[in-house]
Amino acid sequence: ATSQVVERLAADISEEGYCCLVMDHSLYGDDEASPLPWESPAKRVEDIKAGFQFLLKQEDVEQDKIAAVGVSVGAEYLARAIQETKQCRGLIMVEGTFDDSQNFVKDLEIPSIVIDENNLMAAVDQSVIWLRSLFNPELMNKPSEKVDWSVSDK
């Protein structure tokens, strides 16, 4: 389910014009080596920090507009990497039923949101809306134009 959430989020966020970096941690996903039977939190955090460094070197990435989306336990590692690097302006944590993301966002000094992955479409929509408001606050504060609905009745 996590890969579905990541693929869908990346696709929809990219359609909104945002650059997305989707990554597998060392020895997971499409790596040639088999996954190790143990977890290395420190290695995962280092992988994420390397991903941030990669993004910062890209000409088409605005350094002051980097936000991160983490899913499940990956969101927890992402929060740790952000605390160490300060290279993100916002964090979206998509948590499953047994995740504990709430405890990780409380120590961050950036805007963050925790979204429930049990409803994939809502998670995607919430993420896109949240990113829009983070990077375009003027859109959120702009008064809506008055609509003359009487025209539609004619």
Side-chain angles (χ1 to χ4, degrees), residues 34-91:
S34 299
L36 297 175
W38 46 268
E39 181 87 10
S40 173
K43 180 61 181 151
R44 283 195 170 203
V45 170
E46 290 304 313
D47 288 347
I48 294 166
K49 289 167 39 176
F52 284 141
Q53 290 302 312
F54 172 80
L55 282 175
L56 292 171
K57 292 177 183 173
Q58 305 309 304
E59 290 180 18
D60 57 342
V61 173
E62 295 179 52
Q63 294 187 12
D64 63 334
K65 290 190 175 183
I66 294 177
V69 180
V71 179
S72 192
V73 72
E76 297 170 11
Y77 295 127
L78 189 52
R80 287 186 201 169
I82 289 170
Q83 284 177 321
E84 293 176 20
T85 63
K86 312 286 190 228
Q87 292 174 325
C88 248
R89 211 170 132 211
L91 172 62

Side-chain angles (χ1 to χ4, degrees), residues 29 94 99:
V94 183
D99 295 327

Side-chain angles (χ1 to χ4, degrees), residues 19 23 33 37 41 52 59 73 81 94 103 112 132 141 143 146 148:
C19 173
M23 57 180 276
F52 284 141
E59 290 180 18
V73 72
V94 183
N103 286 326
S112 60
R132 280 188 204 148
N141 297 328
K146 186 174 180 179
D148 182 5

Side-chain angles (χ1 to χ4, degrees), residues 123-134:
V124 169
D125 291 343
Q126 278 184 285
S127 298
V128 169
I129 290 168
W130 191 82
L131 283 170
R132 280 188 204 148
S133 67
L134 178 67

